Amino acid sequence: MVASQLGGRVLDKRDVRPAIRTDFAEANQWVFYGMAAALALAFLCALAHPGTRVTGTRVS
């Protein structure tokens, strides 16, 4: 049992679990946004990459 700072109420483990789940979900939200931005940047770089296109002429 953990004593709460708000009003001296005693919290049970069952009261803490939803808060932990919410904190975990909110933290993961920023990770997913960062990964989505990285994937978008990688996609734009892939579009700009010349690949197999010839970009210059060889002098031999």
Side-chain angles (χ1 to χ4, degrees), residues 24-38:
F24 184 74
E26 288 176 356
N28 276 341
Q29 180 180 5
W30 290 105
V31 173
F32 294 144
Y33 287 155
M35 289 178 70

mmCIF file with all atom_site columns, all heavy atoms in Angstrom, residues 24-38:
data_model
loop_
_atom_site.group_PDB
_atom_site.id
_atom_site.type_symbol
_atom_site.label_atom_id
_atom_site.label_alt_id
_atom_site.label_comp_id
_atom_site.label_asym_id
_atom_site.label_entity_id
_atom_site.label_seq_id
_atom_site.pdbx_PDB_ins_code
_atom_site.Cartn_x
_atom_site.Cartn_y
_atom_site.Cartn_z
_atom_site.occupancy
_atom_site.B_iso_or_equiv
_atom_site.pdbx_formal_charge
_atom_site.auth_seq_id
_atom_site.auth_comp_id
_atom_site.auth_asym_id
_atom_site.auth_atom_id
_atom_site.pdbx_PDB_model_num
ATOM 1   N N   . PHE A 1 24 ? 2.599  4.778  -19.852 1.00 0.00 ? 24 PHE A N   1
ATOM 2   C CA  . PHE A 1 24 ? 3.317  4.012  -20.872 1.00 0.00 ? 24 PHE A CA  1
ATOM 3   C C   . PHE A 1 24 ? 2.791  4.350  -22.261 1.00 0.00 ? 24 PHE A C   1
ATOM 4   O O   . PHE A 1 24 ? 3.567  4.547  -23.204 1.00 0.00 ? 24 PHE A O   1
ATOM 5   C CB  . PHE A 1 24 ? 3.170  2.517  -20.580 1.00 0.00 ? 24 PHE A CB  1
ATOM 6   C CG  . PHE A 1 24 ? 3.949  1.650  -21.505 1.00 0.00 ? 24 PHE A CG  1
ATOM 7   C CD1 . PHE A 1 24 ? 5.321  1.545  -21.391 1.00 0.00 ? 24 PHE A CD1 1
ATOM 8   C CD2 . PHE A 1 24 ? 3.302  0.926  -22.491 1.00 0.00 ? 24 PHE A CD2 1
ATOM 9   C CE1 . PHE A 1 24 ? 6.045  0.733  -22.248 1.00 0.00 ? 24 PHE A CE1 1
ATOM 10  C CE2 . PHE A 1 24 ? 4.016  0.114  -23.355 1.00 0.00 ? 24 PHE A CE2 1
ATOM 11  C CZ  . PHE A 1 24 ? 5.391  0.019  -23.225 1.00 0.00 ? 24 PHE A CZ  1
ATOM 12  N N   . ALA A 1 25 ? 1.473  4.439  -22.406 1.00 0.00 ? 25 ALA A N   1
ATOM 13  C CA  . ALA A 1 25 ? 0.875  4.748  -23.709 1.00 0.00 ? 25 ALA A CA  1
ATOM 14  C C   . ALA A 1 25 ? 1.239  6.156  -24.165 1.00 0.00 ? 25 ALA A C   1
ATOM 15  O O   . ALA A 1 25 ? 1.540  6.378  -25.341 1.00 0.00 ? 25 ALA A O   1
ATOM 16  C CB  . ALA A 1 25 ? -0.642 4.589  -23.636 1.00 0.00 ? 25 ALA A CB  1
ATOM 17  N N   . GLU A 1 26 ? 1.238  7.107  -23.241 1.00 0.00 ? 26 GLU A N   1
ATOM 18  C CA  . GLU A 1 26 ? 1.587  8.478  -23.607 1.00 0.00 ? 26 GLU A CA  1
ATOM 19  C C   . GLU A 1 26 ? 3.057  8.599  -23.989 1.00 0.00 ? 26 GLU A C   1
ATOM 20  O O   . GLU A 1 26 ? 3.411  9.357  -24.894 1.00 0.00 ? 26 GLU A O   1
ATOM 21  C CB  . GLU A 1 26 ? 1.258  9.424  -22.461 1.00 0.00 ? 26 GLU A CB  1
ATOM 22  C CG  . GLU A 1 26 ? -0.237 9.627  -22.278 1.00 0.00 ? 26 GLU A CG  1
ATOM 23  C CD  . GLU A 1 26 ? -0.581 10.489 -21.077 1.00 0.00 ? 26 GLU A CD  1
ATOM 24  O OE1 . GLU A 1 26 ? 0.345  10.879 -20.337 1.00 0.00 ? 26 GLU A OE1 1
ATOM 25  O OE2 . GLU A 1 26 ? -1.772 10.767 -20.891 1.00 0.00 ? 26 GLU A OE2 1
ATOM 26  N N   . ALA A 1 27 ? 3.923  7.863  -23.327 1.00 0.00 ? 27 ALA A N   1
ATOM 27  C CA  . ALA A 1 27 ? 5.341  7.886  -23.674 1.00 0.00 ? 27 ALA A CA  1
ATOM 28  C C   . ALA A 1 27 ? 5.573  7.240  -25.038 1.00 0.00 ? 27 ALA A C   1
ATOM 29  O O   . ALA A 1 27 ? 6.375  7.730  -25.838 1.00 0.00 ? 27 ALA A O   1
ATOM 30  C CB  . ALA A 1 27 ? 6.159  7.175  -22.602 1.00 0.00 ? 27 ALA A CB  1
ATOM 31  N N   . ASN A 1 28 ? 4.890  6.146  -25.319 1.00 0.00 ? 28 ASN A N   1
ATOM 32  C CA  . ASN A 1 28 ? 5.036  5.475  -26.611 1.00 0.00 ? 28 ASN A CA  1
ATOM 33  C C   . ASN A 1 28 ? 4.515  6.319  -27.763 1.00 0.00 ? 28 ASN A C   1
ATOM 34  O O   . ASN A 1 28 ? 4.973  6.186  -28.896 1.00 0.00 ? 28 ASN A O   1
ATOM 35  C CB  . ASN A 1 28 ? 4.321  4.132  -26.602 1.00 0.00 ? 28 ASN A CB  1
ATOM 36  C CG  . ASN A 1 28 ? 5.179  3.047  -26.021 1.00 0.00 ? 28 ASN A CG  1
ATOM 37  O OD1 . ASN A 1 28 ? 6.388  3.169  -25.934 1.00 0.00 ? 28 ASN A OD1 1
ATOM 38  N ND2 . ASN A 1 28 ? 4.551  1.972  -25.615 1.00 0.00 ? 28 ASN A ND2 1
ATOM 39  N N   . GLN A 1 29 ? 3.584  7.191  -27.486 1.00 0.00 ? 29 GLN A N   1
ATOM 40  C CA  . GLN A 1 29 ? 3.028  8.053  -28.529 1.00 0.00 ? 29 GLN A CA  1
ATOM 41  C C   . GLN A 1 29 ? 4.138  8.885  -29.169 1.00 0.00 ? 29 GLN A C   1
ATOM 42  O O   . GLN A 1 29 ? 4.208  8.994  -30.392 1.00 0.00 ? 29 GLN A O   1
ATOM 43  C CB  . GLN A 1 29 ? 1.959  8.961  -27.923 1.00 0.00 ? 29 GLN A CB  1
ATOM 44  C CG  . GLN A 1 29 ? 1.321  9.902  -28.918 1.00 0.00 ? 29 GLN A CG  1
ATOM 45  C CD  . GLN A 1 29 ? 0.263  10.771 -28.256 1.00 0.00 ? 29 GLN A CD  1
ATOM 46  O OE1 . GLN A 1 29 ? 0.072  10.734 -27.038 1.00 0.00 ? 29 GLN A OE1 1
ATOM 47  N NE2 . GLN A 1 29 ? -0.413 11.547 -29.048 1.00 0.00 ? 29 GLN A NE2 1
ATOM 48  N N   . TRP A 1 30 ? 5.044  9.438  -28.379 1.00 0.00 ? 30 TRP A N   1
ATOM 49  C CA  . TRP A 1 30 ? 6.148  10.249 -28.909 1.00 0.00 ? 30 TRP A CA  1
ATOM 50  C C   . TRP A 1 30 ? 7.134  9.391  -29.688 1.00 0.00 ? 30 TRP A C   1
ATOM 51  O O   . TRP A 1 30 ? 7.700  9.829  -30.692 1.00 0.00 ? 30 TRP A O   1
ATOM 52  C CB  . TRP A 1 30 ? 6.842  11.001 -27.788 1.00 0.00 ? 30 TRP A CB  1
ATOM 53  C CG  . TRP A 1 30 ? 5.962  12.076 -27.246 1.00 0.00 ? 30 TRP A CG  1
ATOM 54  C CD1 . TRP A 1 30 ? 5.283  12.072 -26.072 1.00 0.00 ? 30 TRP A CD1 1
ATOM 55  C CD2 . TRP A 1 30 ? 5.622  13.302 -27.901 1.00 0.00 ? 30 TRP A CD2 1
ATOM 56  N NE1 . TRP A 1 30 ? 4.540  13.220 -25.955 1.00 0.00 ? 30 TRP A NE1 1
ATOM 57  C CE2 . TRP A 1 30 ? 4.740  13.995 -27.053 1.00 0.00 ? 30 TRP A CE2 1
ATOM 58  C CE3 . TRP A 1 30 ? 5.985  13.869 -29.114 1.00 0.00 ? 30 TRP A CE3 1
ATOM 59  C CZ2 . TRP A 1 30 ? 4.218  15.236 -27.393 1.00 0.00 ? 30 TRP A CZ2 1
ATOM 60  C CZ3 . TRP A 1 30 ? 5.467  15.111 -29.448 1.00 0.00 ? 30 TRP A CZ3 1
ATOM 61  C CH2 . TRP A 1 30 ? 4.586  15.774 -28.595 1.00 0.00 ? 30 TRP A CH2 1
ATOM 62  N N   . VAL A 1 31 ? 7.328  8.165  -29.245 1.00 0.00 ? 31 VAL A N   1
ATOM 63  C CA  . VAL A 1 31 ? 8.212  7.245  -29.986 1.00 0.00 ? 31 VAL A CA  1
ATOM 64  C C   . VAL A 1 31 ? 7.618  6.961  -31.360 1.00 0.00 ? 31 VAL A C   1
ATOM 65  O O   . VAL A 1 31 ? 8.324  6.982  -32.377 1.00 0.00 ? 31 VAL A O   1
ATOM 66  C CB  . VAL A 1 31 ? 8.426  5.941  -29.197 1.00 0.00 ? 31 VAL A CB  1
ATOM 67  C CG1 . VAL A 1 31 ? 9.193  4.925  -30.017 1.00 0.00 ? 31 VAL A CG1 1
ATOM 68  C CG2 . VAL A 1 31 ? 9.150  6.220  -27.883 1.00 0.00 ? 31 VAL A CG2 1
ATOM 69  N N   . PHE A 1 32 ? 6.326  6.711  -31.428 1.00 0.00 ? 32 PHE A N   1
ATOM 70  C CA  . PHE A 1 32 ? 5.673  6.435  -32.710 1.00 0.00 ? 32 PHE A CA  1
ATOM 71  C C   . PHE A 1 32 ? 5.723  7.648  -33.632 1.00 0.00 ? 32 PHE A C   1
ATOM 72  O O   . PHE A 1 32 ? 5.922  7.502  -34.843 1.00 0.00 ? 32 PHE A O   1
ATOM 73  C CB  . PHE A 1 32 ? 4.233  5.981  -32.495 1.00 0.00 ? 32 PHE A CB  1
ATOM 74  C CG  . PHE A 1 32 ? 4.122  4.654  -31.803 1.00 0.00 ? 32 PHE A CG  1
ATOM 75  C CD1 . PHE A 1 32 ? 3.105  4.412  -30.905 1.00 0.00 ? 32 PHE A CD1 1
ATOM 76  C CD2 . PHE A 1 32 ? 5.037  3.642  -32.034 1.00 0.00 ? 32 PHE A CD2 1
ATOM 77  C CE1 . PHE A 1 32 ? 2.995  3.194  -30.267 1.00 0.00 ? 32 PHE A CE1 1
ATOM 78  C CE2 . PHE A 1 32 ? 4.942  2.415  -31.403 1.00 0.00 ? 32 PHE A CE2 1
ATOM 79  C CZ  . PHE A 1 32 ? 3.908  2.201  -30.513 1.00 0.00 ? 32 PHE A CZ  1
ATOM 80  N N   . TYR A 1 33 ? 5.539  8.846  -33.090 1.00 0.00 ? 33 TYR A N   1
ATOM 81  C CA  . TYR A 1 33 ? 5.643  10.052 -33.910 1.00 0.00 ? 33 TYR A CA  1
ATOM 82  C C   . TYR A 1 33 ? 7.052  10.199 -34.473 1.00 0.00 ? 33 TYR A C   1
ATOM 83  O O   . TYR A 1 33 ? 7.233  10.559 -35.637 1.00 0.00 ? 33 TYR A O   1
ATOM 84  C CB  . TYR A 1 33 ? 5.288  11.301 -33.096 1.00 0.00 ? 33 TYR A CB  1
ATOM 85  C CG  . TYR A 1 33 ? 3.814  11.455 -32.790 1.00 0.00 ? 33 TYR A CG  1
ATOM 86  C CD1 . TYR A 1 33 ? 3.404  12.184 -31.675 1.00 0.00 ? 33 TYR A CD1 1
ATOM 87  C CD2 . TYR A 1 33 ? 2.834  10.898 -33.594 1.00 0.00 ? 33 TYR A CD2 1
ATOM 88  C CE1 . TYR A 1 33 ? 2.067  12.341 -31.379 1.00 0.00 ? 33 TYR A CE1 1
ATOM 89  C CE2 . TYR A 1 33 ? 1.494  11.045 -33.310 1.00 0.00 ? 33 TYR A CE2 1
ATOM 90  C CZ  . TYR A 1 33 ? 1.113  11.779 -32.202 1.00 0.00 ? 33 TYR A CZ  1
ATOM 91  O OH  . TYR A 1 33 ? -0.207 11.932 -31.918 1.00 0.00 ? 33 TYR A OH  1
ATOM 92  N N   . GLY A 1 34 ? 8.057  9.949  -33.647 1.00 0.00 ? 34 GLY A N   1
ATOM 93  C CA  . GLY A 1 34 ? 9.440  10.040 -34.108 1.00 0.00 ? 34 GLY A CA  1
ATOM 94  C C   . GLY A 1 34 ? 9.741  9.021  -35.191 1.00 0.00 ? 34 GLY A C   1
ATOM 95  O O   . GLY A 1 34 ? 10.426 9.326  -36.182 1.00 0.00 ? 34 GLY A O   1
ATOM 96  N N   . MET A 1 35 ? 9.242  7.806  -35.027 1.00 0.00 ? 35 MET A N   1
ATOM 97  C CA  . MET A 1 35 ? 9.467  6.769  -36.038 1.00 0.00 ? 35 MET A CA  1
ATOM 98  C C   . MET A 1 35 ? 8.748  7.120  -37.342 1.00 0.00 ? 35 MET A C   1
ATOM 99  O O   . MET A 1 35 ? 9.287  6.876  -38.433 1.00 0.00 ? 35 MET A O   1
ATOM 100 C CB  . MET A 1 35 ? 8.992  5.419  -35.507 1.00 0.00 ? 35 MET A CB  1
ATOM 101 C CG  . MET A 1 35 ? 9.860  4.864  -34.413 1.00 0.00 ? 35 MET A CG  1
ATOM 102 S SD  . MET A 1 35 ? 9.269  3.298  -33.761 1.00 0.00 ? 35 MET A SD  1
ATOM 103 C CE  . MET A 1 35 ? 9.611  2.239  -35.144 1.00 0.00 ? 35 MET A CE  1
ATOM 104 N N   . ALA A 1 36 ? 7.568  7.679  -37.247 1.00 0.00 ? 36 ALA A N   1
ATOM 105 C CA  . ALA A 1 36 ? 6.842  8.073  -38.451 1.00 0.00 ? 36 ALA A CA  1
ATOM 106 C C   . ALA A 1 36 ? 7.587  9.184  -39.189 1.00 0.00 ? 36 ALA A C   1
ATOM 107 O O   . ALA A 1 36 ? 7.678  9.166  -40.426 1.00 0.00 ? 36 ALA A O   1
ATOM 108 C CB  . ALA A 1 36 ? 5.425  8.540  -38.086 1.00 0.00 ? 36 ALA A CB  1
ATOM 109 N N   . ALA A 1 37 ? 8.143  10.127 -38.454 1.00 0.00 ? 37 ALA A N   1
ATOM 110 C CA  . ALA A 1 37 ? 8.918  11.200 -39.084 1.00 0.00 ? 37 ALA A CA  1
ATOM 111 C C   . ALA A 1 37 ? 10.178 10.641 -39.734 1.00 0.00 ? 37 ALA A C   1
ATOM 112 O O   . ALA A 1 37 ? 10.544 11.042 -40.851 1.00 0.00 ? 37 ALA A O   1
ATOM 113 C CB  . ALA A 1 37 ? 9.285  12.262 -38.038 1.00 0.00 ? 37 ALA A CB  1
ATOM 114 N N   . ALA A 1 38 ? 10.844 9.701  -39.083 1.00 0.00 ? 38 ALA A N   1
ATOM 115 C CA  . ALA A 1 38 ? 12.044 9.093  -39.655 1.00 0.00 ? 38 ALA A CA  1
ATOM 116 C C   . ALA A 1 38 ? 11.710 8.309  -40.924 1.00 0.00 ? 38 ALA A C   1
ATOM 117 O O   . ALA A 1 38 ? 12.452 8.366  -41.915 1.00 0.00 ? 38 ALA A O   1
ATOM 118 C CB  . ALA A 1 38 ? 12.715 8.188  -38.622 1.00 0.00 ? 38 ALA A CB  1
#
